[in-house]
Amino acid sequence: MRVLFIGDIVGRPGQEFAADCLRDLIPKEEPDLVIANGENATHGKGLNSAAAEYLYDIGVELITLGNHTWDQKELLQFIDSDARIVRPANYPDGTPGRGFTVCNVRGMSVLVINVMGRTFLSQLDCPFRTVDKILEAYPEIRHVVVDVHAETTSEKIAMGWYLDGRVSAVIGTHTHVQTADERVLPAGTGFITDVGMVGPNDGILGIDRKLVLQKMLTHMPVRFQVADGPRQFCAVLLELSDETGRATSIRRIRVVE
Ligand SMILES: [Fe+2]
Ligand SMILES: [Fe+2]
């Protein structure tokens, strides 16, 4: 089974470049499942229904989220009814939406989990124990992909080692900067600290660099906007054993216009 995991899609430029790449570049990779982090898909902040529908139309099958989950209020109107959207599982009990989902790929069940790290982010429930509980509930599922949405490299690497041999892949998201440390860990879990983003290449994490610099230089309120210009597409392609669910390879993809 081949799984394509696309990094944080930022704004309209990210949506459109994801569409270009999924149409022109990705078909030759023959992915069986396409997952994307969509926490920045709507103007860089959150996910509304128009962005979700756009991503489904271009071939994204499941959307994971992160610390920007609730930036678009409209998400509350459809997150409970759309099983293709997964928000961090370690939000408090009673939070709308779901922290994991199970989909069917060529007759095989795939469990996709989203958790958020806690360093420099919200103090949610323990992400490690949260994943444990979900895995305990689905012992029969061999194909499991975890999106660990976290700020620090250490927390994401820790999650990779914690889950090695128990899940198919641990994919880091959130920093919007792709790391070059992709590997299959010894017990068979595909891992990368951060898959990167899809969006403007000459901004700061996808945001107009002039506005971010203005904020950093003045500490006055600034309304951020997604940048223009050339774009980048970042993803990883995982090859998973149909029989065991373990990763046999993980390959980084980064395309810059
Ligand atoms: Fe992001
Ligand atoms: Fe994030």
Side-chain angles (χ1 to χ4, degrees):
M1 179 191 302
R2 293 159 79 86
V3 178
L4 183 77
F5 193 107
I6 302 171
D8 304 32
I9 294 175
V10 181
R12 197 70 195 172
Q15 292 180 33
E16 290 176 355
F17 199 46
D20 293 350
C21 291
L22 285 172
R23 184 189 62 236
D24 301 334
L25 180 83
I26 294 303
K28 71 174 194 305
E29 310 284 1
E30 299 180 340
D32 299 297
L33 174 64
V34 176
I35 307 168
N37 186 294
E39 70 149 5
N40 309 107
T42 301
H43 311 304
K45 299 185 91 180
L47 179 77
N48 62 9
S49 60
E53 288 304 325
Y54 185 94
L55 295 181
Y56 298 145
D57 284 348
I58 65 172
V60 172
E61 294 163 271
L62 296 175
I63 300 173
T64 57
L65 294 168
N67 53 304
H68 290 292
T69 295
W70 307 118
D71 288 358
Q72 297 289 328
K73 283 206 188 84
E74 192 203 354
L75 181 66
L76 283 169
Q77 292 171 24
F78 62 95
I79 193 168
D80 281 325
S81 60
D82 190 341
R84 297 167 292 185
I85 298 174
V86 188
R87 48 86 177 148
N90 49 335
Y91 275 123
D93 285 346
T95 298
R98 73 212 77 224
F100 61 89
T101 197
V102 178
C103 66
N104 188 292
V105 178
R106 291 198 282 107
M108 292 170 275
S109 293
V110 181
L111 171 61
V112 177
I113 303 170
N114 186 200
V115 281
M116 198 152 85
R118 296 184 288 188
T119 310
F120 308 134
L121 290 168
S122 299
Q123 295 306 299
L124 305 183
D125 295 344
C126 173
F128 301 96
R129 292 176 178 86
T130 298
V131 176
D132 284 341
K133 276 187 206 141
I134 298 167
L135 295 179
E136 276 164 28
Y138 293 90
E140 72 287 1
I141 297 185
R142 301 184 303 273
H143 297 85
V144 182
V145 176
V146 178
D147 172 350
V148 56
H149 194 85
E151 190 74 54
T152 62
T153 49
S154 58
E155 207 170 7
K156 291 187 271 194
I157 295 168
M159 186 65 79
W161 286 111
Y162 187 68
L163 296 176
D164 184 26
R166 297 197 284 149
V167 304
S168 308
V170 174
I171 306 298
T173 59
H174 173 71
T175 71
H176 295 199
V177 178
Q178 190 179 69
T179 57
D181 63 336
E182 78 281 9
R183 64 189 283 198
V184 177
L185 295 171
T189 295
F191 176 78
I192 188 167
T193 297
D194 204 296
V195 60
M197 72 158 177
V198 184
N201 197 40
D202 292 343
I204 296 175
L205 311 184
I207 302 300
D208 187 323
R209 62 181 186 265
K210 291 189 297 298
L211 302 174
V212 177
L213 276 165
Q214 186 186 338
K215 171 86 180 170
M216 289 182 176
L217 290 168
T218 67
H219 290 264
M220 297 291 287
V222 177
R223 186 181 288 270
F224 284 167
Q225 280 175 0
V226 174
D228 305 318
R231 300 159 296 176
Q232 63 171 306
F233 174 88
C234 294
V236 288
L237 188 75
L238 293 151
E239 195 125 21
L240 311 181
S241 160
D242 284 354
E243 287 71 37
T244 66
R246 297 299 165 240
T248 53
S249 72
I250 175 169
R251 185 156 55 80
R252 242 176 336 119
I253 298 170
R254 181 162 183 265
V255 181
V256 179
E257 272 187 306

